[in-house]
Amino acid sequence: TASFFEQLDLNSEQDMFTISALIPPYLDNSEYTTQSLQAILAENYVYRDFVYDSYISIEDSDSMGEIAASFPAGLISTGENGDSYETLNAIRSYLADQCKYTLSPGRTPSTRDFVNYFLLENNEGYCMHYATAGTIIARYFGIPARYCEGYIISADMMQNGTENKDGSVTIDIPDTASHAWCEYYADGYGWIPFEFTPGYY
């Protein structure tokens, strides 16, 4: 831990960190405690800077300017004065009011910005549209956010799986289980999923 501290550029007189929820069985393991402390310090002093350098940027363009100019006063007020969670909920409400969920929104014209077209003209889309727009708007208000894709695995899929000899289970995941969502970064916690798509809240 001492050598880890030496590699960090920090003012130890001003910086304070809190370590919580250390599970008692691990307290006797000095190696675990040291690794936990190093992980917390790395997140606080190294990874957090990377996140804020990488995940709040948005393109400086006319398309983005038009999107920002279209925000209602309530969203702007919450984005400027609320905490991250309040702002994300305000973005969710804005998207629900502004757009309609559909699996067949049509194609975005090749000459148009994807988010601009979704929010300002077509107003129809599915998870990919909502997650992308929500991520961009969150970044506009200074919340580190990233777009994610994956699958939603249901309990039914697990129950209908095939158990293998080694005890693992093989399941079939249909394309219809694919999904997109947003994750936002909370200081001291890391990445937290946040759902912007109606029907998935």
Side-chain angles (χ1 to χ4, degrees):
T1 304
S3 63
F4 187 88
F5 266 110
E6 290 169 6
Q7 296 175 45
L8 300 176
D9 181 19
L10 58 89
N11 182 343
S12 59
E13 294 177 4
Q14 293 181 357
D15 290 318
M16 182 180 76
F17 12 72
T18 302
I19 303 172
S20 62
L22 282 177
I23 303 169
Y26 293 112
L27 292 177
D28 294 332
N29 184 336
S30 61
E31 183 177 329
Y32 173 84
T33 304
T34 299
Q35 290 172 353
S36 298
L37 177 58
Q38 290 177 350
I40 290 166
L41 293 172
E43 189 277 334
N44 196 54
Y45 290 106
V46 182
Y47 186 66
R48 187 178 301 171
D49 289 344
F50 166 75
V51 167
Y52 280 90
D53 287 343
S54 305
Y55 291 100
I56 60 170
S57 63
I58 55 174
E59 182 182 339
D60 183 15
S61 67
D62 291 342
S63 292
M64 291 298 111
E66 290 173 359
I67 292 169
S70 74
F71 293 155
L75 176 58
I76 294 171
S77 177
T78 303
E80 292 175 349
N81 303 305
D83 62 25
S84 293
Y85 192 70
E86 291 169 333
T87 301
L88 291 167
N89 276 306
I91 295 168
R92 176 190 281 168
S93 295
Y94 165 69
L95 293 174
D97 292 343
Q98 185 79 6
C99 303
K100 176 186 170 188
Y101 180 85
T102 178
L103 292 175
S104 54
R107 290 178 177 258
T108 301
S110 61
T111 58
R112 294 293 304 278
D113 175 83
F114 182 81
V115 176
N116 182 291
Y117 182 70
F118 170 59
L119 291 176
L120 303 182
E121 187 171 331
N122 193 36
N123 303 117
E124 292 185 342
Y126 47 91
C127 59
M128 184 173 68
H129 298 81
Y130 283 88
T132 304
T135 299
I136 294 297
I137 298 170
R139 289 183 176 194
Y140 177 84
F141 289 112
I143 300 170
R146 64 187 184 186
Y147 170 89
C148 303
E149 288 184 348
Y151 293 90
I152 295 176
I153 309 301
S154 69
D156 288 343
M157 290 180 195
M158 296 296 291
Q159 289 173 353
N160 294 329
T162 304
E163 187 169 352
N164 302 309
K165 291 179 182 178
D166 63 0
S168 63
V169 176
T170 301
I171 61 173
D172 290 325
I173 304 173
D175 288 342
T176 54
S178 63
H179 190 53
W181 64 94
C182 173
E183 290 182 349
Y184 75 99
Y185 185 82
D187 290 350
Y189 290 92
W191 293 102
I192 300 173
F194 192 89
E195 191 60 71
F196 288 112
T197 305
Y200 290 88
Y201 303 164

